[in-house]
Amino acid sequence: MAFKSPSPGLVLAWMRLRTLRNLLLDFRRDSVAKTGVVIFGLAVVVGIGYSVSLYSFKFIQSFPAIGAPLNSRLLGLLFLVLFTMVSISTAIVAYTSLFLARETAFFFEQPLSPVPIFFAKAIESVAFSGWATLILCLPVAAAYGVIRQASWLYFLEAAGLLLLFIIFCGAAGVLVTILLLTIIRRWTFQKLFIAVVALQVVVGWNFFQSFDFASFNGEDNLAALNKFTLQLTALQSPFVPSTWATAGILAAAAGQHREMLFQAGLLIANTLIFLPVFRTYARYFYGDRWVRTAEPAPFWRRRTRPAASPVRAPGRWGVDPGPMGVLIWKDLITFIRAPAQISQFILFLLLMVVYVLSLMQIPSGLFSAQWRVVLYFCNLAALCLILSSFSSRFLFPLISLEGQAFWIIGLAPLERSFLVQQKARFGRFLILSLGLLATLGACLSLRFRWDFTLAALYTTTLCGWLLTALATGFGAAYPSLAEDNPARIAVGLGGTLNFFASALSIAAILAFEAAPYLLTGPQPPGTLLWMAHLASFLFTLLIAHLVLRLGERSLRRMDF
Amino acid sequence: MTRLLSLLWTIAIVAFWLSMNGLLLRRQIEVRNFDLYRQGVSSYFGTDWYRERWMGIYRGSRKIGYTGVVFTKSLEEEGIQHHTKIDGRIAVDLFGKGSQIRINGTVDADLQMIPEKLSINIEMDKRAIHISGERRNNALVLTAQAGSLKVFEQALPLKEFFLSDGLMPSLPIAGFEVGQTYEIPVFNPILQSTALAKIEVKERARLILSGMKVDCFHLETQVEGITYQSWVTPDGETLRQEIPPPTDVVLVRETREEARRGFLGGE
């Protein structure tokens, strides 16, 4: 009897299902507890997201004439931002999944055509990049429905539209990766870099032109937002994909199910069209491209070096860097050489620069003394949250990224606790350099007094210190040595725990720092301020010590 | 067989993609071919399907009434339909006797803004007039009835017109530019007459509303020799209207609740 083998696509899907099943069966009691914490944390995030969105929509709606249309345009702005962010994020994740992941290499060793491999990895990339966005945006869509007094059907339709939109953005991101790789193949890195910088300058210039806060004398931020959203023509063009999602949600909220179906149809049609495109690419180009990516073109034009020249190392100037220096140097070089890491790092830097430059647009005479204190803490919270996303994305995966080569360091004559200390020191160097620079820039942009600026630098130092300790400690306690994709490591169980712990720690430090102002008003006595600084210092020291010990202990007990 | 199925699947996807994007393109071509007024209505709604506008009516500092218009759009089998709903109350002083005019009604119009049917109720004290309209023989036939008595019947040419709240026309249009003019027939249900309204976008302006500076356009509307002033945001939201003597009232933009609150039993 002839045996008919199942299709390769089904085999890969079946493999994924089995992996999930094994994961569920392997749940130990502590895993269940950790999952419970994560689910609880997500529920809290969803709850807070819903409450904040509902309050904001209600507040804006209460303004006659501009409120209701502004809410609709803000929804459009949200979708436009999502379109950009999810596409970029998926493009980066797709690059690592499709071309660099060890599992992809494993698949290519199997008797499989490139088509199912491409689709399996592309679907995985879209799911990894989009799930968090979906969970964060659902409460916003729900709050909008409540404000518009939509029927229950709206909530189902909105959830479906959001899902469709995120899948579309993800597929667009995969296409961006494919196109970029084609361009990079032909371009040198220098040309690409110049093109990206030029593009950033054009986009950034347009962005800041739209934020002309100064013309309002800073009195009416809502009016400025109204003007900004009115000026964004991309929000209104029916040919921009984010408009399809916005129009669909608005139609669903108004009970216009026919129109909602039309907009959903547009999204489905424009998502499905990626299938034949990807299929053709996978069939004729993917395998070849994957092989070439395994041996990539030079990242930067290399100078030919004489064969006898010594290998560049930190000790080349005759100073013995010791194990700490060597390992930090190794981490730095590995970080720079990983395209997925360096590209996301550049994006992160751009985010910080955009944030600080946006602050420069706020006029100096905008706020009273009380509101300046509020602005001071809002700015600190924003900076610390950016640092928190940095530590979660770049510092948490550091130990896991040692990967299957962990045995080399494991066999070295070093305590494993030393490794945790080394990662923490490396992380502190990165996070404090960036954090202190950004804080100083933000304080100067906002024209804060010198005592406020010093206090902000002090708070950033504490937050940076604590965030590094949390990322390193949790990274050592929950390593994923089998995973080589840092983005996936960061969104795992340990990464999610680290994210929540980081958010709570920032809240605690800011609460300590804000307590004197909350208790006595905008000009608290110096003694109270010093006490607050001392309390936040002790808190940082205690938590950082505990979490680093936890990481060291777990790593010491770990088998590899 | 698998290859054939795969080919058919690809053809179906491409056909679906072409038809959906073709429909989108056709919609946009339709809108581009509209005249200024209809393009303005299209810009006013944008991607939204529902807009409302509530104004408090003031004489001096005294509030004497409110007026509200709710504009909705719907996608029916015949294409996009526009629905206008008006609701207003105004206190009047007739020969020293205080009285109140109540007006509410609806107009359904097609994509070209040509009315398909209308229904308006006007009440004053205990007297009521009901005006209804429907398309008949290439005309819009309006019939006014007071109880069982037919007051009048009038056939209007089948072209676009706007239902006013009896005070002044406030069109659902956006996308203004200084110097533009619109000419729209407006039906005044209180006077039961149709007149041509000529609206000119005079200049850019800035108005304070709820303590907030809002950019807007200053519009001048002329109907039967009377000149009205209004201030409208770039996306078509009316902020303020001034009606000259003898009516001599000012309409100020408010929320629905503010407009109705505390006025003559407004719900």
Side-chain angles (χ1 to χ4, degrees), chain A residues 236-239 243-248 250-251 256-266, chain B residues 18-34 38-39 42-43 45-49 73-81 111-112:
Chain A
Q236 286 134 23
S237 169
F239 299 108
T243 308
W244 306 332
T246 314
L250 293 178
Q256 298 295 326
H257 305 299
R258 244 171 215 273
E259 176 65 13
M260 192 284 301
L261 283 175
F262 175 75
Q263 301 294 345
L266 267 174
Chain B
L18 283 174
S19 51
M20 288 311 295
N21 287 288
L23 283 172
L24 178 68
L25 201 63
R26 203 181 74 178
R27 268 188 180 193
Q28 287 320 110
I29 291 170
E30 269 179 16
V31 172
R32 281 231 175 128
N33 290 336
F34 283 167
R38 290 174 186 88
Q39 275 190 14
S42 177
S43 303
F45 278 104
T47 47
D48 217 338
W49 293 78
K73 217 169 54 163
S74 66
L75 185 63
E76 310 291 344
E77 273 177 30
E78 310 81 51
I80 287 180
Q81 304 277 301
L111 182 64
Q112 303 294 322

Side-chain angles (χ1 to χ4, degrees), chain A residues 166-382:
Chain A
I166 284 169
I167 294 173
F168 170 82
C169 296
V174 175
L175 186 70
V176 167
T177 301
I178 293 170
L179 292 176
L180 269 181
L181 279 178
T182 313
I183 296 168
I184 289 171
R185 187 70 204 159
R186 308 238 165 112
W187 284 17
T188 60
F189 184 79
Q190 290 95 323
K191 278 186 192 168
L192 186 73
F193 183 77
I194 291 164
V196 168
V197 168
L199 191 71
Q200 285 291 339
V201 168
V202 173
V203 173
W205 187 81
N206 268 316
F207 181 76
F208 289 117
Q209 284 293 308
S210 310
F211 267 109
D212 188 15
F213 281 109
S215 65
F216 290 87
N217 287 329
E219 288 168 6
D220 308 310
N221 290 340
L222 206 62
L225 193 61
N226 188 41
K227 192 178 175 188
F228 169 62
T229 53
L230 269 172
Q231 283 174 348
L232 267 180
T233 46
L235 283 180
Q236 286 134 23
S237 169
F239 299 108
V240 175
S242 57
T243 308
W244 306 332
T246 314
I249 295 266
L250 293 178
Q256 298 295 326
H257 305 299
R258 244 171 215 273
E259 176 65 13
M260 192 284 301
L261 283 175
F262 175 75
Q263 301 294 345
L266 267 174
L267 276 173
I268 293 171
N270 284 285
T271 308
L272 284 178
I273 199 67
F274 286 114
L275 291 180
V277 174
F278 288 164
R279 196 180 172 79
T280 309
Y281 175 81
R283 181 176 291 167
Y284 298 108
F285 306 105
Y286 178 45
D288 183 44
R289 168 60 57 196
W290 179 79
V291 172
R292 287 186 196 183
T293 312
E295 189 65 48
F299 184 68
W300 195 266
R301 194 172 287 158
R302 284 179 190 147
R303 281 169 295 179
T304 46
R305 186 186 296 146
S309 84
V311 176
R312 187 175 290 189
R316 65 185 299 205
W317 293 288
V319 181
D320 180 15
M324 181 66 79
V326 170
L327 285 173
I328 287 180
W329 182 255
K330 189 259 313 170
D331 279 346
L332 202 63
I333 292 293
T334 316
F335 186 79
I336 291 169
R337 282 183 184 163
Q341 294 282 76
I342 198 74
S343 55
Q344 290 207 357
F345 182 70
I346 290 170
L347 272 179
F348 175 82
L349 280 183
L350 279 173
L351 180 68
M352 285 201 115
V353 171
V354 165
Y355 175 72
V356 173
L357 287 178
S358 304
L359 295 179
M360 288 173 80
Q361 298 282 318
I362 298 179
S364 54
L366 182 56
F367 300 101
S368 64
Q370 191 174 357
W371 280 104
R372 280 191 84 73
V373 173
V374 173
L375 181 68
Y376 166 78
F377 280 104
C378 285
N379 171 52
L380 264 182

Side-chain angles (χ1 to χ4, degrees), chain A residues 87-101:
Chain A
S87 302
I88 292 175
S89 149
T90 314
I92 293 166
V93 175
Y95 176 63
T96 49
S97 291
L98 284 167
F99 298 98
L100 304 179

